[in-house]
Amino acid sequence: MPRIERPFFPIIYVRGYAMTRDEIVQTTSTPYMGFEAGSTKIRQAQDGSIVKFVFESPLVRLMKDYGYRDVYAAGAEQADRLPARSVVIHRYYDEADPAFGAGKAPSIPDAAAALGRRIAQLRDSVCGGDAAARKAFRVYLVGHSMGGLICRCLLQNPEVASAEVRAMVDKVFTYATPHNGIELGGINVPSFLSMNDMNNFSRPVMAKYLKVAKDKVNTLGDSGFPPERFFCLVGTNSRDYAVAHGLSSLAVGQMSDGLVRIENAYVAGAPRAFVHRSHSGYFGIVNSEEGYQNLARFLFGDLCATGRLDIEALPFPPELERARKAGKKIESSYYIEATVAPRGAYTYDLTARTKGQESAVRRQYSELFDNHGKLIRNARAPTLFSVFLDTSKITAGSEVAFSIELAVSNAGYEIDGALFLKQHIPGEYLFRNTLVLFAKQDGGEWKLRYVWADEHWATGPKTGAEVLALGRKAIGIAQQAPSAFSIPLASAKGFRAALQIALSAWA
């Protein structure tokens, strides 16, 4: 029997929502239901010329890079003697196609129950009667859009699958899933809109099939599945979503992927990355290099890096500071931008939250400081990123290296309720620099060095990061035995902060 060897477990892909009968038939007429879709994008080279970049598809890449195989042969899906490194497509829409079934789309619980049966069948196909292999068997679930909700229903609803089946799920990766529902014009899809199963994305309906309270739809509830093993890839490109001739992206608005708003696209407590891709289409999130690089590192990587920004001082311009000391009420807000890329990446970022992509973190001054300018105790510090890395891909030396472009800028000032415009320069940066981190494990402990690349060559002398004796909750992660570090940030304008970095083994 094939050997079950972590981290190369079988992968089951669960596609997203098909609204119309034509979309369902188009879906069932393809063997991989979208997972085979690639893209050819253009980028600008160093000499200014425009070149093509071909992304073959996540399916082809898994085959080429990690030796995965599909389960089709001789015109049929194989049911026995499957390799451990198999990619399976959960074809839950087949019964909705009149050519294959009754022509009625299954409910999300029905699709989740079928997924549970598929997992059990896959174990039998891979392991046969080998007791040791069956015990070691695990599976990865990869869901796009509504497919992620089907995966969650499997994990969270005890009525659709047994505890034995749920325990076989090792990790879940979702692309552009509406974990907190879909909103049109700022209003959640109503539960009475049952036409074409649109009510699947209504929070009251979601609460029922996910077995959670209505105000906790974006949580894993009492499932017991660890949130840190549930990754959410969030799209931030609303403009290039062409469904309904652009009416969807217009209704959903900015700060979205054209269908799912950023704030609704992740599970609470789960790691997440933000990529400038739309919900689907030529610029879609599934058929993207960014999507694949996050998928591969989450499934097969061995290092998790989490970054949190603890802001210590947010200075005002001199004239505003004088007004504050004179008793004026000053209100302001700030954009916090963070882009992370591993060493050697040229065509992609693992995560990017920027003003230009309408995905930057935003914080009010009043969330961090009181009226006297003193830092509020337990102020809500933003977690900037959780990225997964693979030390087997180290291209130089013995350290895993990645860069973080950090920026903090002002989004606007008010004095006693009036906008401060005459002397204010819009979008003025309080801090902006590129940090390059070099991590290496030594005797079971991680060591971290860094260099500010906007001022120094990244290959030059590096500074050792301060080691912190903080628990994992303080760093905002849920990994085991993390190594925590602090890197000071400061600017000549008086901005001060500390970037808290947690590194932990990932399996």
Side-chain angles (χ1 to χ4, degrees), residues 61 91 182 317 381 397:
R61 280 289 189 86
R91 299 184 60 88
I182 288 178

Side-chain angles (χ1 to χ4, degrees), residues 11-13 30-39 55-72 85-90 142 175 286-288 291-293 295-296 300:
I11 296 170
I12 299 180
Y13 174 69
T30 58
Y32 304 108
M33 294 190 163
F35 202 46
E36 82 289 357
S39 67
F55 173 66
E56 307 94 308
S57 78
L59 179 72
V60 173
R61 280 289 189 86
L62 287 168
M63 292 177 173
K64 291 169 63 173
D65 295 348
Y66 296 99
Y68 274 80
R69 294 179 57 183
D70 64 13
V71 296
Y72 301 129
R85 299 192 192 194
S86 290
V87 177
V88 176
I89 308 301
H90 180 38
V142 178
Y175 298 94
V286 176
N287 54 315
S288 70
Y292 173 72
Q293 294 293 342
L295 172 69
F300 313 128

Side-chain angles (χ1 to χ4, degrees), residues 25 64 108 134 175 184 195 264 279 402 430:
V25 172
K64 291 169 63 173
I108 283 186
R134 293 174 70 88
Y175 298 94
L184 301 176
M195 182 180 64
N264 293 330
H279 191 78
F402 58 103
L430 281 71

Side-chain angles (χ1 to χ4, degrees), residues 1-6 8-10 82-85 126-127 130 132-134 136-137:
M1 285 295 169
R3 182 181 178 187
I4 305 297
E5 184 179 14
R6 182 180 292 276
F8 302 108
F9 297 135
L82 294 178
R85 299 192 192 194
V126 172
C127 305
D130 187 323
R134 293 174 70 88
F137 179 85

Side-chain angles (χ1 to χ4, degrees), residues 10-29:
I11 296 170
I12 299 180
Y13 174 69
V14 189
R15 72 146 285 148
Y17 172 63
M19 177 182 292
T20 66
R21 176 63 60 85
D22 287 344
E23 289 176 350
I24 291 174
V25 172
Q26 184 180 16
T27 292
T28 58
S29 298

Side-chain angles (χ1 to χ4, degrees), residues 294-317:
N294 276 287
L295 172 69
R297 283 169 169 79
F298 178 69
L299 296 185
F300 313 128
D302 57 3
L303 173 62
C304 175
T306 299
R308 188 187 74 192
L309 188 66
D310 288 348
I311 295 176
E312 300 167 358
L314 273 174
F316 291 131

Side-chain angles (χ1 to χ4, degrees), residues 308-310 312 406 431 433 435 437 448 450-452 455 463-468 485-491 495-501:
R308 188 187 74 192
L309 188 66
D310 288 348
E312 300 167 358
L406 287 169
F431 179 89
N433 211 324
L435 180 68
L437 296 173
L448 188 67
Y450 67 91
V451 59
W452 291 106
E455 303 163 4
T463 303
E466 177 189 358
V467 179
L468 294 178
F485 305 90
S486 180
I487 298 173
L489 282 64
S491 72
F495 173 83
R496 295 196 318 276
L499 179 65
Q500 314 287 9
I501 301 289

Side-chain angles (χ1 to χ4, degrees), residues 307-434:
R308 188 187 74 192
L309 188 66
D310 288 348
I311 295 176
E312 300 167 358
L314 273 174
F316 291 131
E319 56 273 24
L320 277 171
E321 180 61 20
R322 287 194 292 269
R324 186 186 70 82
K325 290 182 176 179
K328 301 287 187 180
K329 182 180 180 181
I330 309 298
E331 294 184 2
S332 60
S333 59
Y334 301 85
Y335 291 117
I336 303 171
E337 303 175 76
T339 299
V340 183
R343 173 168 49 191
Y346 185 37
T347 61
Y348 67 91
D349 300 312
L350 289 178
T351 184
R353 304 198 69 176
T354 68
K355 291 192 298 182
Q357 297 176 1
E358 298 171 339
S359 58
V361 177
R362 187 183 174 105
R363 283 290 187 273
Q364 299 285 340
Y365 184 86
S366 58
E367 293 181 83
L368 304 169
F369 298 89
D370 63 20
N371 293 333
H372 303 289
K374 293 184 178 180
L375 185 66
I376 297 174
R377 182 179 176 85
N378 297 323
R380 190 165 65 99
T383 297
L384 301 183
F385 59 85
S386 290
V387 296
F388 296 86
L389 302 163
D390 190 342
T391 58
S392 70
K393 298 184 181 298
I394 293 175
T395 56
S398 58
E399 296 171 302
V400 58
F402 58 103
S403 65
I404 310 170
E405 294 182 17
L406 287 169
V408 179
S409 61
N410 175 259
Y413 296 108
E414 289 186 1
I415 302 178
D416 285 344
L419 288 174
F420 178 68
L421 297 174
K422 292 183 179 180
Q423 302 178 60
H424 174 51
I425 303 300
E428 184 173 6
Y429 282 91
L430 281 71
F431 179 89
R432 182 165 47 178
N433 211 324
T434 303

